[in-house]
Amino acid sequence: ARTNRLMNDRLWDDETRLYIDFDIKSGKRSGVLSSVASLPSISGAPTGEMASRMVALLADPQKFGTPLPIPSVARDTDGFSTDMWRGPVWTNINMLVCEGLRQYGYGAMADEIESKTRSAIEKYFKEFGTFYEYYDADGKLPPPSMDRKGYNSPVEVYHQPLRDYGWTAALYIDSRLRK
């Protein structure tokens, strides 16, 4: 209860209708709308009204309602791209957001997000034979073509994209077993 109260006091932003990262040095919120902004719903922090306001942003195509939801930052964020935490969809974050949505009665939305996430995982597993850590929110670029992925070089440290992400595989299996 104390943690929920602190999240609501320090992180909830009425203007943006989301939880926003708080910089303890400056005493201010970052202003960045990110996919993790609705994770406090897992612990029951938001009121029903706060949850409904967050859900509206998850459905908004200019924010998080992309063809493959939920991008790591809102689509209208400066620098939105396919570069790791600047726009791609992360399986682990999506599944956690879905858990929070279900706790607030948004099961249909959670099921849709989970289904789209599974479809992306399946599509690229069939094409490349591996599980990836993140996917293009627009569904246009395959994971190896996204920023910071590039070619795989056995000798260049910055060109060794990791493959077969355990959390993606585990969450995919969990999702399929629950359906």
Side-chain angles (χ1 to χ4, degrees), residues 66-69 71 80-82 87-89 120 124 134-143 146:
T66 52
L68 175 59
F80 183 88
S81 70
T82 64
V89 173
Y124 293 114
Y134 56 80
Y135 300 86
D136 178 22
D138 288 317
K140 294 178 181 173
L141 285 177
M146 295 172 66

Side-chain angles (χ1 to χ4, degrees), residues 10 13 18 51 56 75 89 92 102 104 137-138 174:
R10 289 190 183 168
D13 184 73
L18 282 177
R75 179 186 289 289
V89 173
N92 55 339
R102 287 185 179 99
Y104 281 83
D138 288 317
D174 179 66

Side-chain angles (χ1 to χ4, degrees), residues 18-171:
L18 282 177
Y19 290 91
I20 305 293
D21 291 338
F22 184 82
D23 182 338
I24 58 172
K25 288 184 180 180
S26 71
K28 297 178 183 177
R29 293 183 193 102
S30 71
V32 176
L33 306 184
S34 75
S35 59
V36 299
S38 59
L39 292 184
S41 61
I42 294 170
S43 69
T47 64
E49 171 63 22
M50 291 161 77
S52 71
R53 294 173 79 190
M54 290 189 296
V55 164
L57 292 179
L58 291 177
D60 182 344
Q62 293 305 310
K63 300 294 184 193
F64 299 101
T66 52
L68 175 59
I70 303 166
S72 52
V73 293
R75 179 186 289 289
D76 60 359
T77 300
D78 286 342
F80 183 88
S81 70
T82 64
D83 187 11
M84 294 186 77
W85 291 105
R86 300 303 303 158
V89 173
W90 291 72
T91 304
N92 55 339
I93 300 300
N94 271 13
M95 298 305 182
L96 289 170
V97 169
C98 289
E99 288 303 312
L101 288 170
R102 287 185 179 99
Q103 289 185 44
Y104 281 83
Y106 296 100
M109 179 181 242
D111 290 347
E112 181 180 348
I113 292 168
E114 194 170 335
S115 175
K116 287 180 176 183
T117 304
R118 277 194 319 267
S119 291
I121 294 167
E122 291 168 357
K123 174 183 177 180
Y124 293 114
F125 184 82
K126 287 176 185 173
E127 188 172 342
F128 297 104
T130 192
F131 294 97
Y132 291 95
E133 61 182 338
Y134 56 80
Y135 300 86
D136 178 22
D138 288 317
K140 294 178 181 173
L141 285 177
S145 298
M146 295 172 66
D147 292 334
R148 288 200 217 203
K149 290 298 181 184
Y151 67 94
N152 189 5
S153 167
V155 294
E156 295 177 63
V157 174
Y158 293 105
H159 293 287
Q160 295 178 358
L162 298 173
R163 297 170 58 94
D164 294 321
Y165 276 82
W167 71 38
T168 300
L171 290 168

